Amino acid sequence: MRPVTEAILVIDVQNDFCPGGALAVAGGNEIVAPINAMVPQFAVRVFTQDWHPAGHSSFASQHEGAAPYSMTEMAYGPQVLWPDHCIIGSEGAGFHSQLDTRGADVIIRKGFRREIDSYSAFFENDQTTPTGLAGYLRTRGIESVILVGLATDYCVNFSAVDAARLGFQVTVVESLCRAIDLDGSLSAAKDGMAAAGVRFA
Ligand code: VGL
Ligand code: ZN
């Protein structure tokens, strides 16, 4: 068993981010079995789900003439416009069917406010609206977090950087993550994580 002060964060291992899904990440399915093997070693286990209402403002379909994967400006800053994905209650929003979620202590859902996207498991993209995860981890005495899941350059990246800023010791297990990699976003994400003090294992 790992120390009781360490939590695993399993980020967004959902059907829409796996091959065949609406926002498929190449190889997303490959990480499921090794994550299943790893989770039971941790005393504290958090799973997250991207969880958007239909018509979410991060969907290209809501912006006249906008192509998926193009950029827009939101009230809180630049935002990638995505294909419709992870719609509340849909098959695509469900966890990968082989992911063993029985061991989850808590499931954090994020991105459920129409006007704000949320990559991070800690704060939405306005960087102020909290999900409650920081309080959960602190009240459970957590000092270190280990991150795995999808996607390396978006939700894993933003979660890892926020966790480091909040004062947690952060490790990203790169071999148990897969990236979207839009226009160099993976290398930018790695630089940003390293600058924030995130470690890679
Ligand atoms: C994600 C894009 C849009 C992710 C979520 O889980 O990395 N990426 N929504
Ligand atoms: Zn999303």
Side-chain angles (χ1 to χ4, degrees):
M1 278 295 273
R2 313 276 313 190
V4 295
T5 53
E6 217 173 69
I8 187 167
L9 310 187
V10 180
I11 305 293
D12 297 2
V13 183
Q14 293 166 266
N15 291 319
D16 272 343
F17 298 126
C18 290
L23 211 176
V25 181
N29 54 316
E30 297 164 4
I31 65 175
V32 173
I35 289 174
N36 287 341
M38 193 173 182
V39 167
Q41 301 169 16
F42 287 84
V44 175
R45 305 139 178 193
V46 177
F47 286 55
T48 67
Q49 258 178 321
D50 208 43
W51 198 248
H52 301 309
H56 191 258
S57 58
S58 75
F59 297 167
S61 62
Q62 301 306 301
H63 301 257
E64 185 84 44
Y69 305 103
S70 64
M71 295 295 300
T72 193
E73 235 5 87
M74 297 288 207
Y76 51 78
Q79 167 73 47
V80 180
L81 292 175
W82 302 105
D84 288 22
H85 65 279
C86 295
I87 293 173
I88 294 174
S90 68
E91 181 74 20
F95 287 114
H96 186 283
S97 63
Q98 303 298 111
L99 184 72
D100 187 351
T101 60
R102 290 173 299 179
D105 292 343
V106 67
I107 296 172
I108 295 283
R109 289 170 167 168
K110 60 187 178 62
F112 49 75
R113 291 177 180 82
R114 194 187 169 278
E115 301 306 326
I116 319 179
D117 201 6
S118 186
Y119 296 145
S120 166
F122 294 93
F123 294 103
E124 303 205 351
N125 286 9
D126 62 2
Q127 295 187 316
T128 44
T129 305
T131 63
L133 179 57
Y136 180 84
L137 294 174
R138 285 191 178 127
T139 53
R140 291 204 59 187
I142 295 302
E143 294 166 5
S144 308
V145 292
I146 282 70
L147 286 89
V148 298
L150 306 170
T152 322
D153 41 349
Y154 287 93
C155 291
V156 174
N157 169 35
F158 280 75
S159 300
V161 169
D162 279 350
R165 285 200 190 115
L166 286 163
F168 296 100
Q169 245 195 60
V170 185
T171 305
V172 169
V173 184
E174 275 189 279
S175 62
L176 298 186
C177 297
R178 291 293 183 275
I180 297 173
D181 205 12
L182 282 185
D183 281 330
S185 59
L186 178 58
S187 81
K190 281 193 193 178
D191 291 349
M193 288 190 277
V198 172
R199 292 193 289 208
F200 299 95

